[in-house]
Amino acid sequence: MAFGLSASAQTTRITGKVTDAVTGETLPFVNIAFIDSRIATNSDLDGNYVLDTYYPTDSIRAGGVGYTTFSAKVKKDVPQVIDIKLQPSTGQLEDVVVTYSGNPAFPILRRLVANKPTNNREKLAAYQYEAYNKIEFDLNNITEDFKKKKIFKDFAFIFDHVDTADGKPFLPIFMTETLSDLYYRQHPQARREVIHGQKVSGVENASISQFMGDMYQNVNIYENYLVIFGKNFISPIADGGKGFYDYHLVDSNWVGRNWCYKIEFSPKRVQELAFTGNMWICDTTYAVRTIEATIAPGANLNFVQGFQVKQEYNEVAPEVWMLTKDELVVDLNVVRDTGKPNKNPVQGFYGRRTASYRDFVINKPQADAFYDGADEVVLNIDPLSASSDYWDQHRHENLTAKELAIYQMVDTMKTIPKFRTYVDIVTTVVTGYYTKGKVDLGPYFSVYSFNPIEGNRFRLGGRTSSAFSTRTEYNGYAAYGTRDQRFKFGFGGKTFVSKTSRQIVEVNYKQDVEQLGQSVNAFQGDNILSSVFRRTPNTKLTLVEETKASYQREWFTGLENTLQVRYRTLYPLGDLEYIKPSSTGELSSVLNAIHTAEIGLNTRFAYKEKYVSGDFTRVSLGTSYPTVELHLAMGLPSLAKSEYGYQKVVAHVYQRLQLGALGWMRVNAEAGQVWGALPYPLLILHSGNETFYYDDLAFNTMNYFEFISDRYAELFVEHHFEGLFFNRIPLMRRLKWREVVSAKAVAGSLDKTKAEQELLFLPGMYTLDNGPFVEVGAGVENILKVLSIRGVWRLRYNDHPGTSPFALRLNLFINF
């Protein structure tokens, strides 16, 4: 074979000569074959033979009439010479009767699994191809009553495009086409996709795209587990597939130029994350030729009423199989389809992805410089791609008449004011902001809240919208408390220096109340949910006057730096006091405020992280690699009234681990240290939680200001079993509940004597000098599809007043 493979991707080439072991004569026309395979050859007139294949087994066998069978071990993926000497046979051949009583699909599956490393395209030294992707989102369950709603009066023409081909009437609302070239190199491993053309029509925003983000993923059937909507589905050709699936051999026939076997598969157990469908398997190579699979009914998955994937593979070079067509359809709805007639069905969405691949180049890598850089996806848009002629020429298959009409219908619909109003309402619910021309008003969930310090708090705020500018955003708000009778406010803005390298300059000023010592994941202080879910009176607040400026630079996708300077004045409120001891033995004094200035540099690295971006914000779709953050800060005692000089280092690592049938795990590890004599508000205030709402990044049985350190290390581990145990209990299976367990610990220390030279600790403030704080939890999630209830046990420091060794916490979480 002439493909120039690297060592890890080359064929197994066996050469040798076949001779009579007694006379030494060469033997022509002897059959030499891999054991348990259809790959074979015959010796030539001089007794020479060659076997060269990607699909070896571990042994070869040779034999001929009048000779005993010869066998020898094979070293895979290396060239070797095996000379065969056949012993003449002296015995009489007896009749042989072969019977097989097992499942006839199993021998085929066994060979299929054995050849997976060979048939998986990742074996190749390099490949490239042209990819065409077409994605469409449709609104389904379009009934006559739905069409007659007043909201659609001014654009009823859109219902002329309703299709009923899939059983549910649906209306296309978004469509996009992409043309790109994809390149892969194995050593060193590198991928790059160069997008040459994009065509988009319809309503799209970052939140909707994130919800449908998994539509953009390729399903590689050769992986043991397929991550779909964040869940681990067992592949029907997984190494241990027989433990999860029932298989039936139902047919054999020609598929194109290949003789294939048809195998049907279905899950062994209800509600496991598995598929039902069929696949055609080629004999000889035992590669998947085609596969059709749907998510099995009853799978423990929310909102997904249907999921269907169809894939077609072709031999694009000798013994090289590549995916050439990929079709994916997802049916999403918040209400489960029972299959029974429903006069008032709830509207849902279809997501459709059709991809085709062609112009394959195998084992011809580009120059090393081509793969340089961390960005896997590169935009190199052809200026001609904006024209219809470009797409008529380059798309892999012509659009249907209905698809052509979608572009015109959707673009017309966007110009109708009432339709824009409908979209704005939906956007407000999702984002929290209502767009009115050049201004976004909100967020609505902060308009009203309450706490013991401010009493009833009312807040109005907003920001400029994309209609004002897509490069610069201004924001501001004002709030008023009925008890403290004080106005709070904030204003600021940010602008893009460059969108290409994502450089952002931001400046903000505020005077407002904050809760120090809560996690970054906690509710914002004026969020109404923070008020409603309080478990203790919120009497340890701080009035913060802050001016800050920052510069953010993304060097490449996944690596960014943020340089920030801020000046803060902290005023204690409620039960907080700033009591400074006297150095002369006199009475301590009570400070009205403390002042601090700081310069900080934050570095964040998330290798191969994917995003969905809006004009100013973007949503991470995650990465399979660890996310690492490093924060460096230094106090500036000479700036304005700043009183404290210090240095601070905090390192944080996060990773989500997909663990197959066992579910998934989330791990957060963090460590840090502060050098300098500082008052307690500027030290490490370990994240507590004084609400009934479970906080993933806080200690849920710890109070605010309970533990303070100047150096620490903490570890949070949370494992989601995804119904692994409940799915096996018949009475609980239908509930689709899922199990979750967690463990959190923090160890730290503090020179309390030095810290209390700045400010005295108040009652209820402690150090971790007597050992780490630990809490563990267990609970049930996916109750009513959105609710999680957890029991949390506090294992240490249970003698502290105002604490409990056990607590129940809940949270709301929308998850597939």
Side-chain angles (χ1 to χ4, degrees), residues 417 420-445 461-465:
R420 290 301 319 169
T421 300
Y422 180 69
V423 172
D424 289 343
I425 293 172
V426 174
T427 302
T428 299
V429 173
V430 174
T431 66
Y433 286 87
Y434 176 74
T435 301
K436 186 68 175 178
K438 295 183 179 181
V439 177
D440 292 338
L441 301 174
Y444 63 81
F445 42 76
R463 65 191 183 192
T464 56
S465 69

Side-chain angles (χ1 to χ4, degrees), residues 214 217 226-233 656 658 664 722 815-816:
D214 288 88
Q217 295 188 51
L226 313 177
V227 181
I228 301 171
F229 295 111
K231 307 299 180 185
N232 296 306
F233 284 79
R656 173 171 168 150
Q658 297 289 349
W664 60 277
E722 298 287 63
N815 186 23
F816 287 105

Side-chain angles (χ1 to χ4, degrees), residues 135-140 142 158 170-176 201-204 208 348-350 406 409-411 413-414 419 422:
I135 295 173
E136 178 184 325
F137 294 158
D138 310 320
L139 185 67
N140 61 28
I142 305 297
I158 64 174
F170 64 90
L171 175 68
I173 58 174
F174 170 75
M175 184 170 168
T176 179
S201 183
V203 179
E204 182 183 29
I208 293 176
F349 289 93
Y350 281 135
I406 290 173
M409 182 270 292
V410 172
D411 290 338
M413 190 167 58
K414 288 193 295 184
F419 177 76
Y422 180 69

Side-chain angles (χ1 to χ4, degrees), residues 230-463:
K231 307 299 180 185
N232 296 306
F233 284 79
I234 185 78
S235 170
I237 61 172
D239 294 350
K242 288 190 288 186
F244 297 87
Y245 286 96
D246 291 321
Y247 298 95
H248 302 282
L249 177 63
V250 295
D251 197 4
S252 59
N253 210 332
W254 291 99
V255 179
R257 296 178 300 149
N258 307 104
W259 183 258
C260 300
Y261 305 103
K262 184 179 182 181
I263 294 178
E264 293 183 346
F265 50 86
S266 59
K268 281 184 174 293
R269 291 171 289 274
V270 177
Q271 293 193 322
E272 282 196 332
L273 296 179
F275 299 94
T276 183
N278 66 81
M279 53 188 168
W280 287 89
I281 309 299
C282 296
D283 77 344
T284 306
T285 63
Y286 293 95
V288 175
R289 181 66 171 82
T290 65
I291 185 168
E292 295 185 19
T294 62
I295 291 179
N300 194 338
L301 196 65
N302 295 330
F303 313 121
V304 179
Q305 308 303 315
F307 178 98
Q308 183 178 45
V309 59
K310 296 181 181 180
Q311 293 187 335
E312 180 178 327
Y313 295 80
N314 279 284
E315 194 174 18
V316 300
E319 295 190 345
V320 176
W321 289 84
M322 299 289 283
L323 178 65
T324 54
K325 191 162 186 179
D326 190 5
E327 297 179 11
L328 190 64
V329 179
V330 180
D331 182 2
L332 295 176
N333 203 308
V334 296
V335 177
R336 187 171 67 90
D337 188 353
T338 62
K340 299 178 181 179
N342 187 349
K343 294 182 179 180
N344 298 298
V346 175
Q347 280 66 51
F349 289 93
Y350 281 135
R352 307 172 189 273
R353 176 179 179 269
T354 302
S356 57
Y357 312 100
R358 68 185 186 189
D359 300 337
F360 292 91
V361 178
I362 305 300
N363 293 327
K364 294 182 179 179
Q366 301 290 312
D368 290 345
F370 176 82
Y371 302 98
D372 290 344
D375 291 332
E376 284 196 341
V377 180
V378 178
L379 293 177
N380 185 20
I381 303 298
D382 189 330
L384 299 177
S385 66
S387 69
S388 298
D389 291 340
Y390 175 91
W391 290 99
D392 291 340
Q393 179 181 352
H394 289 87
R395 65 169 57 98
H396 290 186
E397 56 185 30
N398 295 328
L399 297 181
T400 65
K402 285 185 177 293
E403 289 172 332
L404 288 169
I406 290 173
Y407 280 122
Q408 180 180 359
M409 182 270 292
V410 172
D411 290 338
T412 301
M413 190 167 58
K414 288 193 295 184
T415 65
I416 299 171
K418 280 194 175 182
F419 177 76
R420 290 301 319 169
T421 300
Y422 180 69
V423 172
D424 289 343
I425 293 172
V426 174
T427 302
T428 299
V429 173
V430 174
T431 66
Y433 286 87
Y434 176 74
T435 301
K436 186 68 175 178
K438 295 183 179 181
V439 177
D440 292 338
L441 301 174
Y444 63 81
F445 42 76
S446 294
V447 171
Y448 172 75
S449 59
F450 55 90
N451 62 69
I453 307 298
E454 297 179 278
N456 295 306
R457 174 185 166 109
F458 300 92
R459 181 185 190 273
L460 293 176
R463 65 191 183 192

Side-chain angles (χ1 to χ4, degrees), residues 134 136 139 167 172 225 242 295 311 355 398 488-489 509 529 540 621 684 691 712 715 759 778 798 801:
K134 177 176 63 183
E136 178 184 325
L139 185 67
Y225 288 93
K242 288 190 288 186
I295 291 179
Q311 293 187 335
N398 295 328
K488 297 90 181 175
F489 61 93
Y509 175 83
L529 294 179
K540 298 178 183 178
L621 299 179
I684 305 297
T691 72
Y712 73 102
L715 178 65
L759 288 182
N798 290 326

Side-chain angles (χ1 to χ4, degrees), residues 73-93:
K73 291 289 185 181
V74 170
K75 297 179 181 178
K76 294 184 179 180
D77 299 330
V78 294
Q80 57 208 279
V81 176
I82 300 178
D83 291 323
I84 299 171
K85 297 181 179 182
L86 295 181
Q87 293 285 348
S89 175
T90 58
Q92 180 70 30
L93 293 177

